[in-house]
Amino acid sequence: MFRLDNHPPVNRGRVLHIVFQDGELLSDLRSPQACLLGEDELYDNGWVILREQFVGYWGEQPCFAVEIDSGHSPDPMRFQRGSLYSILGRVEDPLFAMAGRAAQLLNWEKDHQFCGRCGSPMELDSAERAMRCRPCRTINYPRISPCIITLVTRGEELLLARNANFPRAMYSTLAGFIEAGESAEDTLHREVKEEVGIDVHNLQYFNSQPWPFPSQLMLGFYAEYAGGEIVCDPAEIADARWFHYTDLPQVPPPSSVAGQLIRHYVQSLN
């Protein structure tokens, strides 16, 4: 139901909004669509819009991301403020993807108010999704950070790890950012070696997913164990071990590419 588009409509009838305040998502506790608010919600509550970005279409309705002034106090009996994680798994995947795009676009505009080259104020381009500096002609587009995420397997066993910075006792797949000059495959080999000390081969691409924490594009892969013993990088990995597919720990939900990698592999063994 979500159709990405960079060109706002001429007619703003039946407009929807995804609202943020102080960097947090505002969701309607009474609505099954949670983070989609109608035009009347903004104006009836007297919220002042600081910045606005067109996101795309939800069904046939145009949708804008807006940031409202921090001075407003939305009714706590109706509206809840929180991170994007607050709606993960609570709304359908296309709506979460749209909310993630909304957050990224607002943060991009906020982070590029001034030119990083000459310091002059930047302005939104009317023809394309870009921030432009007129004095030195620098152009900034929304930044996407490509990452690999991989499930390493050894027959009926899955290598899963618990991130050192993650408070919950959840085990997941390995992931890392692609560095300048690297291919996705190079990154996968390097990250697995750095994080858990093993070698892999027989890489197979699975799928991709935009992940707005803050602006990643996750490229999902399978990789087979090729040798070595697990040695965790303590700065990144609190624990990593082999799990039989019939005895898995708590893993990410199917709304994430990590959860999809795990579930798809387990289903292939049954």
Side-chain angles (χ1 to χ4, degrees), residues 20-158:
F20 293 83
Q21 185 182 42
D22 295 331
E24 293 187 306
L25 178 68
L26 200 66
S27 56
D28 186 346
L29 298 172
R30 303 178 187 175
S31 172
Q33 293 183 322
C35 59
L36 289 179
L37 304 181
E39 188 94 339
D40 57 335
E41 302 287 354
L42 270 68
Y43 298 110
D44 289 350
N45 287 286
W47 296 339
V48 175
I49 297 174
L50 300 179
R51 54 181 52 87
E52 176 184 88
Q53 285 281 335
F54 178 60
V55 178
Y57 289 86
W58 182 251
E60 297 302 316
Q61 292 181 261
C63 183
F64 289 80
V66 298
E67 180 183 353
I68 62 172
D69 187 86
S70 60
H72 299 298
S73 298
D75 180 1
M77 299 301 294
R78 179 170 183 182
F79 298 104
Q80 179 184 50
R81 267 180 39 174
S83 73
L84 286 169
Y85 280 112
S86 66
I87 62 166
L88 181 60
R90 190 175 134 210
V91 301
E92 53 192 308
D93 290 349
L95 182 52
F96 179 76
M98 188 165 72
R101 173 172 162 84
Q104 291 177 69
L105 291 175
L106 288 176
N107 287 334
W108 159 72
E109 180 185 347
K110 191 174 183 179
D111 291 344
H112 292 86
Q113 296 179 68
F114 297 94
C115 178
R117 180 174 295 174
C118 74
S120 299
M122 301 195 81
E123 57 187 50
L124 282 168
D125 191 287
S126 60
E128 60 179 339
R129 184 83 67 179
M131 296 288 287
R132 290 183 179 268
C133 174
R134 290 191 179 277
C136 73
R137 298 184 180 180
T138 294
I139 304 174
N140 287 119
Y141 298 98
R143 187 182 70 181
I144 302 298
S145 301
C147 301
I148 62 91
I149 183 164
T150 181
L151 175 61
V152 180
T153 63
R154 187 173 65 180
E156 295 186 345
E157 294 180 309
L158 288 68

Side-chain angles (χ1 to χ4, degrees), residues 79-246:
F79 298 104
Q80 179 184 50
R81 267 180 39 174
S83 73
L84 286 169
Y85 280 112
S86 66
I87 62 166
L88 181 60
R90 190 175 134 210
V91 301
E92 53 192 308
D93 290 349
L95 182 52
F96 179 76
M98 188 165 72
R101 173 172 162 84
Q104 291 177 69
L105 291 175
L106 288 176
N107 287 334
W108 159 72
E109 180 185 347
K110 191 174 183 179
D111 291 344
H112 292 86
Q113 296 179 68
F114 297 94
C115 178
R117 180 174 295 174
C118 74
S120 299
M122 301 195 81
E123 57 187 50
L124 282 168
D125 191 287
S126 60
E128 60 179 339
R129 184 83 67 179
M131 296 288 287
R132 290 183 179 268
C133 174
R134 290 191 179 277
C136 73
R137 298 184 180 180
T138 294
I139 304 174
N140 287 119
Y141 298 98
R143 187 182 70 181
I144 302 298
S145 301
C147 301
I148 62 91
I149 183 164
T150 181
L151 175 61
V152 180
T153 63
R154 187 173 65 180
E156 295 186 345
E157 294 180 309
L158 288 68
L159 178 62
L160 300 175
R162 184 165 62 84
N163 191 289
N165 300 313
F166 201 66
R168 296 166 59 189
M170 178 184 291
Y171 283 76
S172 186
T173 53
L174 302 174
F177 288 96
I178 298 175
E179 295 186 358
E182 274 190 325
S183 68
E185 293 79 7
D186 290 339
T187 302
L188 192 155
H189 285 285
R190 174 182 56 78
E191 285 288 344
V192 172
K193 189 70 172 179
E194 289 177 356
E195 292 191 350
V196 294
I198 67 170
D199 297 309
V200 293
H201 64 172
N202 293 340
L203 277 54
Q204 181 182 352
Y205 177 73
F206 176 62
N207 69 2
S208 64
Q209 181 184 38
W211 195 241
F213 301 104
S215 56
Q216 290 98 294
L217 175 63
M218 310 301 293
L219 306 175
F221 287 86
Y222 289 112
E224 294 181 6
Y225 170 75
E229 297 295 326
I230 296 176
V231 179
C232 297
D233 174 4
E236 295 280 346
I237 305 297
D239 183 38
R241 63 183 81 169
W242 294 103
F243 293 91
H244 192 269
Y245 79 96
T246 60

